[in-house]
Amino acid sequence: MFQHRNIIKSPRDMALDYAANQPIRMVLEPPSAARLVKLRIASFVCAIFILVAGAVIWLWGYPSQKNNPGFWHVTLVSLLFWLSVTQGMFALSCLTRIGHGSWRYPMNRLLDISSLYGVWVLLLLPLLVECRHRIYALGSSETSDTIWRIAGPLAWDCVAIGTAYIAGWALLFLTSLPDFAILRDRADPGSKAHRLYLRLSMGWHGAEVQWRALRRAEGVLVVSIIVSFVASQTVLGWDFQLAAARDWDSSIFAPLYTVGSLLGGAALSVLVMTAVNRFIQAADFMTLRQYDNLGRVMIALGLVWFYFRWCDYLTAWYGRLPSEWAVQNNRVTAFPVLAVIMVVGCFAVPVFGNMIRKFRTTRIGSCAISIFVLIGLAVQRYLDTVPTFAPNYPLSALKPTLPTLIIFAGLAAMFILTYLIAARYIPIISWWGIGKEGTRSAERPFGNGKVTVMMSDPPVWET
Amino acid sequence: MSNPFNWLKNWQTRSRIVPSTSPPDPAHTAAAQINDDLTRNVVETGWKWWAVLLFFAAVAGLGVLVVCDQFYEGIGIFGNRRPEYWALPIINFVFWAGVALSGTMISAILRLVHAGWRRELTRMTETLTLCALAVAGLFPLQHLGRNWVFFWLLPYPNERQLWPSYRSPLLWDASAISVYLATSFMFWYAGLLPDFAVLRDRTVGWRHQLYSYLCLGWRGSDKEWKRLRALSGIMTVLIIPVFVSLHTIVGWDFGMSIVPGWHSSIFAPYFVCGALYSGCGAVLIIMCLVRAAFHLQKYILPKHFDNIGKILFSISLLWFYFFAGDAWSDWFTNDPNHVAWLRFMFTGYRWILATIMFFGIVVPFVALSFQKVRTSPWPMLFVGLSVNIAMYTERITVVIPPAARDWLTWGDYTPTWEDVAVSAAAVGLFGFLYTLLTKFVPIVSLWEHKEGLMTEGEELTGSAHLQVVVREEAIS
């Protein structure tokens, strides 16, 4: 199923490599009639979902749901879930850059595009807050009317989430410059595409000084994104947990959220990689290495997730402080099925499933594992937030309902539509990344077998 | 033009036995030179080694005298007073357990991620683990009071059918330390077998006898290497949960109580992280000292310091994240007990906190930001010392202030000279054990170093020679 790509030794090899140029052709050449129909249908369906979800929020949600805590909490949990996993995707992309993993090149762009989802999120957040601003009052009567105060969690959320996404966009744009330049050079002079990429490429002509500047900027942005990613997940963890359950001091919550976000990011990356690989039929960009390594990443993150979760639970169980134990116990006794799904999805499946090499290195196996992980994480977000937020409401008021599920589906449709739109204008796989990967590693015959040799890859800031 | 991959083709040739009639093979000569360099610390004994050993023995001996005094006078000779029952012995225990943690962890995790540069460091870090753990294990015993009945900690059959309380942190510690010590020893010993065989073949007399026993008949057959690789792989995976569990349990000693300042769900990962931090600092110190003492400049390179420096930098950020997160959540929840504890710590212990911040955050953050510092052994020694000063001080803030609350008032703690002497003796004992072991084991693994050389080479690309490495998965 998986093929190893040919070694690329020169720019000429790169220019002649049919597969490597597929993402460039996808942008410049019009799709076939059949594919165009498929794309239009997919976009239309996504748009319908988004519009219905928007209508539910705007027309049905407010003001009739003003006093329904379940509706708003589940809706916010949905938003937070998508926000976490998309941030996890481009944070993972940055972490692979920092760790100079040579397997990262084909997937970096793909993962970075997830930052564009932030456009939707930043538009949605004020809408939701406006509809139910008291959710950010966090039980403190003094703050309920001044939601924009500087010390309020809303301000932290906006700053942290916004910084992470804006840094993500900057990284996506800057690392796309060489590809925009290729598009500019290959587009028909005078055409719309030529004019567009002439502007977007910002005069890129591949000089050494430009490459140096690009690498330096990439290094700075990668570090900034990781810092802002950790900050935003930490803030989300804090404002949705520490503040929500008064008298409960679970300091592990911020790292638990951060690790969960990375785990979800890895799982969603597998799904996106597989979908894109299927869509770009001519090229097998995502090889065994990407699936294998993402599987290993999920094993590590699943173990850390369980470790944090277990510490959280055990501290409350052993201490038996009434307020603390009530919150922990409520999750397990009131939602036993969901608690099991959470542990299976976030721990058992990613760890034990990925330990089996056959699952980890096949598309079906790794996609199945990833879907379980995403379900587990969504349930975790629900369990950690909703019952804790509104302990005095009956369970029936907190259960996800059809409108909340529609909103969740609308957010998923936004994610898909983001990729559909982005793929129209940006090479979805980095052209120069593919070239770089090809020049860096190759298989060499040795005796009866083959060994993979690779060049040692210095960190981004030293290249 | 010569084939750039000749180095790879020579791989098999290098591992064959070269007939004595053939001209000297450069690779074989290089291997002999490596054997000479890396076994020198075992086969040659100078006066400096004796001087260092006796110095450490004298410092450790001071601690032995104090403990003998404790047998006679009782635990009252130490500064532990109500409500400070744990105090310096447990601070020392937590600190040395942390130092012990990183040795095997660095070795195991770097093996797991196939980091090629680990090969020269694994042996010295694993030895560090064994020595530090031996020191750490003594402190819970010292702290017992009636030390001579320490075996009551163990679940042995007895006539009254008494069993240790499984809820007691003492039992947890005893189990965790013994499991970690046993697995670390096996991990260390398995990796030593090929080197013991080299020593067997290069020594005479009692040393030859000793290494003949120790190498367990190793002769380097293909089957033996395969078994060693399999064992090493299994141990690598198994030892990681063991090391995490050790410091998790140490963290739970505190975190499972309901004492403000201790009762925190983040304590276990925070302790693991803190242990990694102090352990990496200790690794830097050991690297620098061993490199200078045994003239290993050809083997322990600036890149090793650089990489450990980067790891230390990441851990310092993570440690600060956990530290700040814990304090922040205590403050944010506004629980009166937690706030009272915070106020107590930030007033009475502000200078200790400032010391932690300076040595644990400011110094490493500033120093490790510069590549020139990271690649210089002696500055890195000071970074390692700085980190360990910070972490020892941090252990003080973990153990002393939360326990100082007597519910009616706040207690106070002043260590006696015996406390200080035992703490100093711990350093002496560690130095003594480490110095002694360098006389019996090659402190840089011979076979791993040679293996590393065979997987590296240069490839001509354009007009430049670029460094390439064979991916380690291809070997295993």
Side-chain angles (χ1 to χ4, degrees), chain A residues 4 7 9 100 102 138 153 156 230 233-234 238 242-243 245-255 258 289 293 296 307-308 310-321 324 440 444-447 450-456 459 461-462, chain B residues 5 7-12 112 114 166-169 172 244 247-248 252 255-258 263-270 272 306 310 321-322 324-326 328-330 332-333 335 338 371 374 459-461 466-471 473-475:
Chain A
H4 281 283
I7 189 165
K9 291 214 125 191
H100 42 93
S102 59
L138 304 172
W156 310 336
V230 173
Q233 291 305 314
T234 298
W238 281 344
L242 295 179
R246 281 182 289 171
D247 302 330
W248 181 30
D249 165 25
S250 183
S251 44
I252 210 165
F253 220 79
T258 309
R289 284 183 73 198
N293 286 322
R296 288 167 197 239
Y307 178 56
F308 286 174
W310 184 239
C311 285
D312 189 34
Y313 184 80
L314 206 65
T315 307
W317 175 79
Y318 202 95
R320 291 293 170 117
L321 292 174
E324 215 177 75
R440 294 221 165 202
R444 292 281 175 181
F446 179 66
K450 283 182 176 178
V451 289
T452 308
V453 295
M454 52 186 276
M455 287 174 200
S456 26
W461 56 85
E462 287 173 13
Chain B
F5 274 84
W7 60 272
L8 196 58
K9 289 177 182 167
N10 291 336
W11 190 354
Q12 285 176 317
L112 206 62
H114 304 296
Y166 77 94
R167 286 193 158 201
S168 165
W172 307 347
V244 173
H247 235 73
T248 295
W252 282 347
M256 291 297 155
S257 70
I258 54 169
H263 182 69
S264 172
S265 53
I266 209 170
F267 246 50
Y270 173 56
V272 172
D306 190 23
K310 285 175 187 168
Y321 177 59
F322 286 164
D326 189 32
W328 164 261
S329 59
D330 273 342
F332 198 88
T333 46
D335 178 79
H338 285 268
Q371 194 183 22
R374 288 201 309 271
E459 186 181 7
L460 190 67
T461 301
L466 297 181
Q467 287 287 325
V468 294
V469 290
V470 176
R471 278 177 63 202
E473 298 94 309
I475 303 169

Side-chain angles (χ1 to χ4, degrees), chain A residues 46 49-51 53-54 82 117 405-415:
Chain A
C46 287
F49 267 106
I50 294 166
L51 288 173
W82 281 103
Y117 188 68
L405 292 175
I406 289 173
I407 292 168
F408 187 87
L411 291 165
M414 282 178 178
F415 181 77

Side-chain angles (χ1 to χ4, degrees), chain A residues 385-447:
Chain A
T385 306
V386 178
T388 318
F389 236 120
N392 300 323
Y393 288 91
L395 290 182
S396 57
L398 302 176
K399 282 180 181 165
T401 53
L402 184 63
T404 55
L405 292 175
I406 289 173
I407 292 168
F408 187 87
L411 291 165
M414 282 178 178
F415 181 77
I416 296 167
L417 195 61
T418 305
Y419 271 83
L420 288 173
I421 295 170
R424 181 72 190 84
Y425 297 101
I426 307 170
I428 200 143
I429 309 270
S430 169
W431 185 83
W432 65 277
I434 291 289
K436 200 164 177 182
E437 188 205 21
T439 54
R440 294 221 165 202
S441 62
E443 283 202 330
R444 292 281 175 181
F446 179 66

Side-chain angles (χ1 to χ4, degrees), chain A residues 345-378:
Chain A
C346 296
F347 166 64
V349 170
V351 173
F352 300 114
N354 278 310
M355 276 181 185
I356 301 165
R357 191 177 159 78
K358 206 165 185 178
F359 283 177
R360 196 172 71 222
T361 54
T362 53
R363 291 201 181 107
I364 293 175
S366 53
C367 285
I369 289 170
S370 301
I371 289 167
F372 272 110
V373 169
L374 291 173
I375 292 170
L377 273 172

Side-chain angles (χ1 to χ4, degrees), chain B residues 383-409:
Chain B
V383 172
L385 282 172
S386 169
V387 166
N388 275 290
I389 289 169
M391 292 314 294
Y392 193 86
T393 319
E394 188 259 359
R395 304 313 191 200
I396 293 173
T397 60
V398 165
V399 176
I400 303 290
R405 192 172 194 193
D406 205 11
W407 301 108
L408 292 175
T409 179

